[in-house]
Amino acid sequence: VLLEALGRGVLPSIPTDVALELWSGFLRDHVPVLLRDVDAASTKVAVCDALATIPDPVLELLPTRSRVLCISTVMTRAHDADDDYLRGSAIRALGHFLERRAFRDDIGFLLDALDACLGGLRTSQDRFVAIKACWALGNLLEALSLLA
């Protein structure tokens, strides 16, 4: 909850270096354990939701290893055909990542995000997934227009 509050700017007085340390610790110490040891989809949804709130200044300062963890975590869940709620949350996180300077210049990420969004539209019958995928595709188009 604290990390989501930081990401959403609820605690704007926290200096970037402190926020960076909190997010780095969460990514290093907690995300791998939560994804490996907890089977509950609700926990994985919460991880995707938290990752979606990492602010741009923090993302840009994270080491490459941590940014790759963010992308691989949500990308893997975006292709999860077993749980539409988890899939929709992961696609939503991708949509947020597409708004971030740290990710939107990465053509490989843009292509992977396109694949995940189209896969969600193609294979899911759930409207939650479809709505999130359409929103993320809109963010993808905006990212592409900024590259032009």
Side-chain angles (χ1 to χ4, degrees):
V1 173
L2 174 61
L3 291 171
E4 285 187 43
L6 282 171
R8 294 184 197 283
V10 175
L11 304 172
S13 61
I14 301 290
T16 301
D17 59 331
V18 174
L20 176 63
E21 189 60 36
L22 286 170
W23 280 108
S24 295
F26 177 68
L27 292 169
R28 180 186 59 247
D29 302 331
H30 300 291
V31 169
V33 172
L34 289 170
L35 297 176
R36 181 185 63 236
D37 296 342
V38 180
D39 286 333
S42 60
T43 300
K44 294 173 182 165
V45 166
V47 169
C48 289
D49 290 346
L51 295 178
T53 66
I54 300 174
D56 239 353
V58 173
L59 270 175
E60 291 175 1
L61 294 172
L62 283 172
T64 302
R65 173 183 71 246
S66 295
R67 289 196 306 266
V68 168
L69 175 64
C70 292
I71 291 172
S72 63
T73 296
V74 297
M75 201 64 74
T76 300
R77 275 77 201 165
H79 290 286
D80 186 348
D82 295 334
D83 188 325
D84 281 331
Y85 191 67
L86 175 56
R87 188 179 208 180
S89 292
I91 290 173
R92 176 185 162 275
L94 287 175
H96 281 285
F97 287 171
L98 289 162
E99 296 175 324
R100 307 290 196 264
R101 287 184 305 270
F103 294 135
R104 70 176 173 225
D105 294 336
D106 181 345
I107 298 297
F109 169 70
L110 297 179
L111 291 172
D112 289 342
L114 173 64
D115 182 53
C117 293
L118 292 178
L121 286 172
R122 247 190 335 265
T123 61
S124 177
Q125 301 298 315
D126 192 287
R127 286 189 183 182
F128 175 75
V129 174
I131 290 168
K132 300 301 179 186
C134 288
W135 174 75
L137 285 170
N139 289 350
L140 174 65
L141 291 174
E142 184 174 346
L144 289 172
S145 72
L146 293 172
L147 289 175

